[in-house]
Amino acid sequence: MEIYLICLAVALVGGLMLSRLTKLVNLPAVTAYLVAGLLLGPFCLGALKVPGLGFNSLEQVESLSIITQTALGFIAFTIGNEFRLSQLKATGAKAITIGILQAVITTVVVDIALLILHLFAPSIISVPCAITLGAIASATAPAATLMVVRQYKADGPMTRLLLLVVAIDDAVGLVLFSASFGIATALSSGQVSVLAVVVEPIVEIILSLALGSVMGWLLNWVEQFFHSRSKRMTISVAFVLLTVGMSMLEFEVAGIHCGFSLLLVCMMTGTIFCNICPTSEELMSRVDGWVMPLNILFFVISGAELNLEVLAHPVTILVGIIYILSRSAGKYFGAAASCQMTRQPKPITEHLGITLLPQAGVALGMALTAATLPDGVLARNVVLFAVLVYELVGPNLTKRALLAVGEIRPEGRTSARQHNEAKVK
C-alpha cells in the first residue's frame, strides 16, 4: 500500500513540475501530464524497478483503474452541466445534428480507407477488424477537451458547441461500435446476432439515461437537507462516486446483456441536477476545484498505460498511420460539412473538427472489446498507437483552434501567489 501512495504522490508532483516546462513552450498542461505518465511508466523510469519511482509494470498501472474511472465520472458529470435548457434551446438541435453526422462520416471514411487496404493486402487486415476500427474512430475523448477548456478558461459559441458535441459523441459512438462489432463478430463466426447489433446498444443507452436521471433527481433532493458549502460539496462528490459505482453494474434479463455507459450515466446525472437545482453552478465550481488532483492523476496514469511496445510492430504502425490520417480527415471534413448544414459561422466550420481529434479512454475500452475478434490484437494495438499520437498532439491542436476563433484569452503573467501577496499588502 505504501508503494502505491508513493507512486501516486510522485505522479502528481511529476505531472505538475513538467507542466511548468511545457508552459514555457505554450503547450497545454494535459500534454505535460501525459508525458509525465510516459516517463514514469513501465517503459521508462518504471523499467528501473525502483519501488515508488514510477510504475514498474502495466499490471500495476491497470490496478489503478478505479482512479481513472472515477475521474472520468467527474469529467462526465461536469460536461452534463453544459446541457442547460437555456443553452439547449439555442444550440441543442444543431449540436445533435453535428454530433451524429461527424461521427458517422468519420466511421465511413475510416471504413473505406481500411477496406481499400484489405483489398490490396488482405493478409494485413481483415474485414471484421477494418469495420470495427471504423466504429472506434468515431469516439472523441471528452477529458482532454474539457481540461484544455478549463485551463485556458475558453468561452464562446464554439466552446459551448464543442462540449455539447463531445457529450453527444459518446452515445453515437456507443451505437456505432456495438452495431459494427456485432457485424464483425457475425462475419467472423458466420452467425448474425440481432441482440448484439440492435437491442443491447439501445438498452444500454436507455438504462444509462434512466439511471442518470434518477441519480440527478436524488442528488438535488438530498442536497436540500444541507446548507453549508462544504457539506453540500461533500454530498455532491459522494453522489458522483455512487453513480460511477452503479454504472459498473452488469446483469442479464431474458437473455439480454444489460449494462451502463459510465460517461452517459454521469453526464445525465449532471444534466438533470444542473437544470433542477438553483445553486448548481456554485456547487459545480466547488466540485471542479476538489477533483483537480484526480484529473491530473487520470492523465498521468493514462500516459503510463500507453504501451510503447506497439511501436516495434511495422504492421501496427502502417495500419495506425492510415487510421490516424483517415480519422483526422473524417473528423475535420465531417464536422465542417455538418456545420455548413446547420449554418454555423465560418470560423466554427473551419476549426471545430480539429478540436474533435483527441482520443483516449472510450476508444481504449472499445479496443479491449475488439480484441476478442480473431485478429482483434491488431485492432487493439492500432488504437493504442493512435491514442499515443492523439493524446500528445490533440490537446495542443484544440488549444490552437480555440485561439484561432478568439475564445481563449491571452495568458497573463500573474499568479495566485502574487495575487495573494498583493491582497496582504
Side-chain angles (χ1 to χ4, degrees), residues 182-212:
I183 294 171
T185 303
L187 291 173
S188 299
S189 64
Q191 297 179 342
V192 179
S193 172
V194 178
L195 284 179
V197 176
V198 180
V199 178
E200 290 183 356
I202 295 175
V203 169
E204 181 169 336
I205 291 174
I206 292 174
L207 288 177
S208 299
L209 295 178
L211 177 59

Side-chain angles (χ1 to χ4, degrees), residues 326-386:
S326 57
R327 179 181 181 271
S328 300
K331 284 290 180 183
Y332 182 81
F333 292 108
S338 53
C339 282
Q340 288 180 341
M341 186 179 298
T342 55
R343 299 181 180 179
Q344 297 296 317
K346 186 178 179 181
I348 295 179
T349 301
E350 292 179 346
H351 295 95
L352 181 65
I354 297 173
T355 64
L356 298 174
L357 293 181
Q359 191 172 45
V362 178
L364 289 174
M366 292 177 177
L368 285 176
T369 303
T372 59
L373 291 171
D375 58 346
V377 174
L378 174 63
R380 183 173 182 271
N381 288 342
V382 166
V383 174
L384 282 171
F385 173 67

